Amino acid sequence: MKKLYFLLFVLVFSSISAQQIQSPSKEITLEFSLSSLGEPTYQVRYKWKEVVKPSKLGISLKDDTALTTGFSILNKKETSVDDSWNPVLGEQSSIKNNYIQVSFHLLQKEANRKLDIIFKVYDEGVAFRYEFPAQDALSYFIVSEENTEFNLTGDHKTFWIPGDYDSQEYVYSETKLSEIDNSKLDLNNGIALKSIESNYRVQSPLMMKSNDGLYINIFEAAVVNYPVMHLNVDIESFKLSSQLVPDALGDKAYLRTPSVTPWRTIMVSDDARKVVSSKMILNLNEPNQLEDTSWIKPMKYVGIWWEMHVGKSTWDFAGSQNAQNAASKDLIPSGKHGATTENTKRYIDFAAKHGFDGVLVEGWNVGWEDWFGNWKEDVFDFTTPYPDFNIKEVADYAKAKGVKMIMHHETSGSVANYERHLDRAFDLMKEYDYPAVKTGYVGRIIPRGEYHDGQTMVNHFNFVAQRAADYKIMVNSHESVRPTGYSRTYPNYIAAEAARGNEFNAWSSGNDPKHETILPFTRLLGGAMDYTPGIFEIKMNIYDPTKTEQVHTTLAKQLALYVTMYSPLQMAADLPENYERYLDAFQFIKDVPLDWQESIYLEAEPGDYLTVVRKDKNSESWFLGSITDKNPRKTEIKLDFLSPNKKYKAIIYQDGKDADWKINPKSYSIKEQTVTSKSILKLNLAPGGGTAVSIVPAN
Ligand code: NOJ
Ligand code: CA
């Protein structure tokens, strides 16, 4: 902590007058008031323009009472913070945390219940949470709904995915608020779960743009012991309201005082780059809880993974028609099993040769014949390898080659089973020196009736990160709740999928070219994503001539994603043999670091394009990534972020002149040029294309 200005005013109020709180820059104003009925209400302005009209706050309880009305303000506390902290891994080595905080202590006279509402106003937006102080009148309680509203000012352009309690693996729809309608979605695109209860419900982060050019983002931070908040949309009045994800009983949250809700966040700016670069979500989480973080390291990895997604091999050893034999372990090998000792050694060799940190192996353990569909609660034990995967031989081989193995735990949603086995599973990882685990939660949750986004599962995902930390294990979760900054608190929770990843391009209608320009404004605000970029063989007909699927990208764009899609854990997802054919382009994946001193978002427009440049944490080198949607794009980038009077060698990996994601995705060219802080780079991105540049000090 560098500076901490601590102002404390304790004021006593009896009036209903509105209270204003301004951001440090004074650009954002939050106004809090109680209506004549004692209903807490807030509104938000940006540069004196209305962003959120008066909107109600409150919580409904299951015992039919509500913390929504009849309040008076007992007192108010104001603080301001201006400090910074250093993330273990991150987009920048130091994160500034600067806000004005006002806590309103409210009393509901009739019931003698106390509720605090805490506001933090940052330069990029506003955050607030409910706090339930310890009190006799409210000790144990069940939240039946949260009554937070976001009363928007117009029919904004919106990037949205449906309010599915079980999955975020959707493409974004880009429509006006008034056009949100889940019934109009084409869901025939590879999604198994459809826990969508309303046509007018979406998930957050919800990214919007108003007609007068304001970028507005609604999200939440520090979701701990509480369900995820989805948003109901009134398509006529443009009022959004919170919808907490229920548990199996239909309840929302079981709490005991003292306790808090997650932060509700509203970011706003007339500059999209301020939203996409904001660290507000991380700032709103509790500081790192781990004393020793020396074992938490970025990991670039390859793995036995894409070959299953493209159908070259299988996760199962015997083929699922043999499932009935799985219990007897009397399996007849299908001959297509990917996770063999021999194949794993091939990947380890490749990783060692090209300087990768890790190798992921999926399908190494017994259970895959019968994994899908949630019929067998104990389908995996996470400790029994298939007969053709010799875990000791693999571990010894990896060690000799200086490569780390990454464990895979697919739970198939059978979470109770996973928790029962967790310690043994982590023990096995320690025995064979696996520093990281990729977890997976495909399918419906067991205990049955729970949703991926409910309170129970939020607690599960956070618990796995905590327990993994006890073992010094890093976690990358797939199909988990989307992150809301918990990686600040448990920095071993280094990445998650929790959005529609590159895998969908292998076997579904895929992710259209604008997808990766939206994710940084939505999913990535809460933490790093394991998107699995780096696909060079873009059209799936290379594996089977009848296939029409493809990655919606050019080859150069796959390189740019290593920079635009921040993550300290990055996969080179394609097959080794595909990289061997394009070693010159592969060099960028080998060179790009995963941990940064500084990141500068140079250009950004959600749904259209993004250009970011980042400085390596451990050197003076810079790496630039620029991507576009289906439209070609020309742009000029000033390199004035480079140190003055210094020469650098820029290697530019760009789309070929005739490149096009659909017609000619693999056309690329690589050129080298000497640059200084005075240079301007002219970039030429193909439809669905991108550019990646490494800028290294010349010696
Ligand atoms: C879905 C995950 O996203 C993917 O990476 C994994 O290969 C499969 N589940 C199987 O676990
Ligand atoms: Ca997935």
Side-chain angles (χ1 to χ4, degrees):
M1 301 232 169
K2 280 184 193 147
K3 287 182 257 166
L4 180 71
Y5 301 123
F6 204 80
L7 298 163
L8 193 75
F9 304 109
V10 181
L11 300 166
V12 180
F13 289 91
S14 54
S15 74
I16 301 169
S17 61
Q19 315 283 319
Q20 285 195 354
I21 311 162
Q22 283 197 319
S23 61
S25 69
K26 309 266 187 273
E27 283 183 352
I28 295 182
T29 309
L30 178 124
E31 199 172 299
F32 176 75
S33 60
L34 289 179
S35 74
S36 55
L37 296 172
E39 299 159 314
T41 306
Y42 77 100
Q43 56 187 302
V44 179
R45 292 192 201 89
Y46 174 76
K47 296 184 178 170
W48 301 106
K49 250 191 232 171
E50 203 162 38
V51 177
V52 180
K53 296 192 285 183
S55 302
K56 285 187 185 149
L57 297 168
I59 304 272
S60 296
L61 307 184
K62 200 182 177 183
D63 64 5
D64 274 347
T65 61
L67 296 165
T68 52
T69 182
F71 284 107
S72 56
I73 299 177
L74 272 181
N75 61 50
K76 168 181 117 164
K77 261 187 211 151
E78 185 167 334
T79 8
S80 85
V81 168
D82 184 3
D83 62 9
S84 63
W85 55 282
N86 308 111
V88 178
L89 306 172
E91 288 188 87
Q92 55 208 65
S93 52
S94 169
I95 292 179
K96 189 173 150 72
N97 187 24
N98 182 201
Y99 60 87
I100 312 290
Q101 171 173 325
V102 181
S103 307
F104 293 96
H105 302 285
L106 309 181
L107 176 70
Q108 204 178 28
K109 266 204 196 110
E110 234 163 74
N112 195 29
R113 285 172 162 173
K114 283 187 225 151
L115 174 71
D116 297 345
I117 303 180
I118 321 296
F119 292 93
K120 289 188 175 183
V121 186
Y122 291 80
D123 284 343
E124 321 95 272
V126 166
F128 56 86
R129 81 172 354 160
Y130 304 94
E131 283 193 19
F132 310 100
Q135 54 193 296
D136 291 340
L138 194 66
S139 47
Y140 300 91
F141 61 106
I142 301 172
V143 173
S144 59
E145 196 46 87
E146 185 177 313
N147 310 86
T148 304
E149 293 176 350
F150 306 89
N151 199 357
L152 302 172
T153 58
D155 197 4
H156 305 329
K157 176 163 92 172
T158 307
F159 300 87
W160 57 276
I161 55 174
D164 184 332
Y165 295 155
D166 274 310
S167 178
Q168 324 83 356
E169 299 192 349
Y170 289 90
V171 288
Y172 289 89
S173 296
E174 183 179 340
T175 73
K176 288 180 180 271
L177 276 167
S178 60
E179 291 158 356
I180 287 175
D181 185 351
N182 291 325
S183 73
K184 301 224 168 86
L185 296 177
D186 171 18
L187 297 181
N188 186 23
N189 55 7
I191 292 167
L193 300 178
K194 292 181 191 99
S195 305
I196 303 173
E197 286 181 343
S198 159
N199 289 333
Y200 309 106
R201 189 174 296 153
V202 297
Q203 299 193 40
S204 78
L206 190 66
M207 186 65 213
M208 292 171 282
K209 186 178 183 183
S210 71
N211 289 331
D212 52 359
L214 289 189
Y215 298 87
I216 304 165
N217 184 289
I218 295 181
F219 191 24
E220 56 182 341
V223 178
V224 176
N225 192 30
Y226 204 77
V228 168
M229 176 182 71
H230 290 192
L231 297 165
N232 295 310
V233 184
D234 183 327
I235 58 168
E236 275 156 20
S237 70
F238 318 127
K239 187 195 275 178
L240 312 181
S241 56
S242 53
Q243 171 73 39
L244 300 180
V245 174
D247 67 13
L249 302 173
D251 297 325
K252 304 297 163 51
Y254 281 62
L255 296 179
R256 183 195 170 153
T257 54
S259 50
V260 296
T261 70
W263 295 96
R264 280 67 190 85
T265 62
I266 304 155
M267 290 185 209
V268 55
S269 180
D270 51 17
D271 184 342
R273 297 173 301 180
K274 280 222 174 126
V275 174
V276 78
S277 62
S278 171
K279 294 289 158 272
M280 199 170 123
I281 302 298
L282 286 176
N283 274 328
L284 288 163
N285 277 266
E286 292 301 314
N288 170 24
Q289 296 296 302
L290 306 177
E291 255 166 50
D292 173 18
T293 55
S294 58
W295 49 279
I296 300 172
K297 297 196 175 114
M299 271 192 116
K300 210 184 285 175
Y301 72 104
V302 293
I304 302 185
W305 182 74
W306 189 245
E307 58 175 80
M308 281 86 92
H309 286 270
V310 302
K312 191 185 159 206
S313 64
T314 60
W315 282 270
D316 51 71
F317 164 79
S320 42
Q321 69 282 7
N322 266 316
Q324 62 279 16
N325 294 329
S328 70
K329 309 232 167 69
D330 225 1
L331 298 168
I332 308 156
S334 67
K336 276 191 87 182
H337 186 214
T340 64
T341 305
E342 195 194 344
N343 198 25
T344 307
K345 285 185 178 172
R346 185 171 73 95
Y347 277 83
I348 293 171
D349 287 341
F350 181 80
K353 178 171 162 199
H354 294 289
F356 283 79
D357 307 296
V359 173
L360 166 76
V361 180
E362 295 198 2
W364 66 277
N365 58 325
V366 167
W368 288 90
E369 283 71 22
D370 209 9
W371 78 289
F372 201 77
N374 222 267
W375 297 108
K376 254 181 96 192
E377 179 159 343
D378 60 349
V379 58
F380 293 111
D381 69 8
F382 312 97
T383 51
T384 311
Y386 277 127
D388 57 350
F389 183 79
N390 186 327
I391 190 166
K392 177 159 191 335
E393 198 178 326
V394 163
D396 290 345
Y397 194 79
K399 192 170 181 197
K401 294 269 175 166
V403 170
K404 298 282 182 196
M405 297 303 297
I406 300 178
M407 179 49 81
H408 185 227
H409 291 162
E410 174 58 66
T411 67
S412 68
S414 189
V415 173
N417 178 54
Y418 187 40
E419 287 187 1
R420 284 173 208 139
H421 290 88
L422 194 65
D423 285 289
R424 286 188 195 178
F426 285 167
D427 281 339
L428 185 82
M429 286 179 60
K430 290 320 270 188
E431 186 180 345
Y432 293 109
D433 198 26
Y434 284 61
V437 62
K438 170 179 171 180
T439 57
Y441 296 86
V442 170
R444 298 217 176 274
I445 300 298
I446 304 180
R448 293 194 168 80
E450 293 297 336
Y451 296 110
H452 286 69
D453 281 356
Q455 184 187 24
T456 302
M457 286 302 295
V458 163
N459 289 346
H460 168 80
F461 297 120
N462 291 345
F463 165 74
V464 170
Q466 291 165 22
R467 181 51 58 92
D470 295 340
Y471 285 83
K472 302 204 164 136
I473 286 172
M474 296 184 280
V475 178
N476 163 29
S477 59
H478 278 225
E479 297 84 35
S480 58
V481 92
R482 80 276 188 275
T484 55
Y486 203 58
S487 58
R488 177 177 182 191
T489 314
Y490 280 88
N492 63 313
Y493 200 166
I494 56 170
E497 182 195 41
R500 194 173 165 101
N502 223 0
E503 61 183 11
F504 275 79
N505 285 309
W507 37 255
S508 80
S509 54
N511 311 340
D512 62 74
K514 70 178 172 194
H515 188 60
E516 297 99 346
T517 71
I518 303 169
L519 286 169
F521 286 92
T522 53
R523 164 63 185 78
L524 297 188
L525 293 175
M529 178 172 177
D530 186 30
Y531 187 71
T532 63
I535 302 303
F536 283 8
E537 281 304 344
I538 288 162
K539 297 208 176 220
M540 297 304 118
N541 61 12
I542 184 171
Y543 303 103
D544 170 355
T546 66
K547 282 195 175 175
T548 54
E549 290 87 0
Q550 76 161 99
V551 188
H552 296 57
T553 185
T554 62
L555 190 148
K557 185 182 190 179
Q558 289 295 300
L559 302 179
L561 293 179
Y562 287 90
V563 188
T564 62
M565 206 76 93
Y566 164 71
S567 180
L569 178 90
Q570 289 276 23
M571 184 173 206
D574 213 333
L575 311 180
E577 54 270 36
N578 293 343
Y579 289 130
E580 300 282 6
R581 279 197 295 279
Y582 307 97
L583 284 175
D584 57 350
F586 187 50
Q587 189 61 43
F588 184 81
I589 303 181
K590 292 166 65 169
D591 291 343
V592 68
L594 308 180
D595 196 20
W596 307 97
Q597 263 178 68
E598 194 183 339
S599 292
I600 311 169
Y601 286 82
L602 298 168
E603 306 176 304
E605 182 64 30
D608 292 344
Y609 56 82
L610 185 91
T611 305
V612 58
V613 67
R614 306 187 194 272
K615 187 178 188 187
D616 181 15
K617 190 133 166 205
N618 304 307
S619 77
E620 291 300 302
S621 299
W622 292 79
F623 292 78
L624 179 141
S626 185
I627 58 170
T628 181
D629 61 0
K630 65 177 190 302
N631 300 308
R633 183 158 194 268
K634 281 190 201 313
T635 182
E636 297 193 352
I637 305 294
K638 284 194 196 139
L639 302 187
D640 52 7
F641 50 83
L642 296 176
S643 302
N645 311 319
K646 221 173 155 167
K647 277 189 182 159
Y648 296 81
K649 180 174 87 176
I651 309 177
I652 303 161
Y653 301 76
Q654 60 192 2
D655 292 319
K657 287 208 170 69
D658 51 353
D660 178 302
W661 72 272
K662 185 135 193 80
I663 306 160
N664 194 16
K666 289 198 292 185
S667 166
Y668 67 92
S669 71
I670 301 172
K671 68 175 185 201
E672 274 187 38
Q673 90 194 40
T674 301
V675 295
T676 67
S677 63
K678 297 213 171 85
S679 306
I680 294 176
L681 278 188
K682 289 188 180 168
L683 309 185
N684 220 329
L685 281 63
T691 307
V693 187
S694 62
I695 309 170
V696 180
N699 40 22

